[in-house]
Amino acid sequence: MQFTSEQHLDDGVLERAFTLGEIPGILWTPASASASSSPVPLILLGHPPLGLGRMYPRLVARARHSAAEGFATATIELPGSGDRPRLPVVDRARAALRRALEAGEPVSDEIVDALVLPLVDQAVPEWQAALDALLSLPGISGPVGYSGGVISIGIRLAVVEPRIAAAGLFAGSLVPRAMVEEARRVTIPLHVLLQWDDEGNDRQAALDLFDAFGSEEKTLHANMGGHTGVPQFAGDDAARFFTRHLK
């Protein structure tokens, strides 16, 4: 991991851009985190594959909210996003998805698999490599949480990465059947956010996925409103969830 820039935000949060090989990322640490103080827990911030530049305003807002609760946060650019090399199979699947939606046709399992599975297969090992590097830094320690982003990436990480102790997931319906089966193997505590009127989400599919999770502790927070109408208090609920399980 190589840090490429740093700045202090106006609330004292330290923001450092880094590269992990060819993968860009950002680390945010609260003012309370230093080599001489007790290490702070880490939350990995997931996001949709729209590029870190486009997602930055939302990511930094989440990071600052988490820092106020005493957490470090970090994110990395997803495969095929930003300036990273494209994933042709995923790009073709996105085009097929657009055509199906514009024609009012159902989205086939083949499209969903091609859209999501290559991304999961590449992104999860990258998140694990980032976690190796981040946990080696002074002032940061486990346990680790995972928050938001592509829900299938969160599922796979929850299954294969023992350092992740809890996950806050954003419900989405484009989930391959194979990932629903993986969800049955998830055992860590989960906090799942569902926007009840999300125009791009099949509500029943999201509910079926929640039902499939194997965790003994899993909570579904459903709020009225569309995809961009997440209420402020939903973030407060998520913060309390991570405080319970990471501190």
Side-chain angles (χ1 to χ4, degrees), residues 17-232:
F18 64 83
T19 55
L20 187 69
E22 300 299 318
I23 304 170
I26 309 173
L27 169 65
W28 294 272
T29 49
S32 60
S34 69
S36 59
S37 62
S38 298
V40 296
L42 174 68
I43 298 175
L44 304 177
L45 297 183
H47 53 91
L50 300 175
L52 284 183
R54 182 173 172 184
M55 292 303 302
Y56 176 81
R58 290 164 60 182
L59 286 165
V60 72
R62 291 164 60 194
R64 296 172 80 158
H65 191 275
S66 296
E69 301 295 328
F71 297 108
T73 52
T75 193
I76 57 174
E77 187 72 89
L78 290 176
S81 296
D83 293 329
R84 297 191 63 187
R86 306 302 303 173
L87 295 179
V89 63
V90 174
D91 288 342
R92 289 193 294 270
R94 285 198 185 104
L97 174 65
R98 285 194 297 270
R99 289 194 296 270
L101 294 176
E102 289 169 358
E105 298 172 351
V107 179
S108 69
D109 288 346
E110 290 76 13
I111 292 175
V112 175
D113 287 355
L115 183 69
V116 177
L117 292 179
L119 184 61
V120 172
D121 290 343
Q122 185 171 337
V124 167
E126 293 176 353
W127 273 115
Q128 291 180 292
L131 190 53
D132 291 340
L134 291 162
L135 290 179
S136 71
L137 298 174
I140 298 176
S141 72
V144 179
Y146 176 83
S147 174
V150 178
I151 195 168
S152 291
I153 292 176
I155 292 170
R156 176 69 59 79
L157 276 169
V159 170
V160 305
E161 180 45 73
R163 292 172 292 185
I164 294 180
L169 304 176
F170 300 165
S173 57
L174 294 177
V175 180
R177 293 181 186 273
M179 297 309 305
V180 176
E181 290 306 308
E182 283 196 41
R184 304 185 193 283
R185 297 164 51 200
V186 173
T187 58
I188 62 173
L190 297 177
H191 177 102
V192 182
L193 175 65
L194 170 64
Q195 285 300 104
W196 200 249
D197 305 304
D198 189 338
E199 58 280 2
N201 188 34
D202 183 324
R203 183 192 304 161
Q204 189 58 53
L207 295 173
D208 290 345
L209 176 61
F210 179 79
D211 189 51
F213 284 120
S215 303
E216 289 187 8
E217 181 185 335
K218 57 180 180 179
T219 304
L220 179 68
H221 283 240
N223 299 291
M224 304 305 293
H227 186 74
T228 59
V230 180
Q232 176 60 45

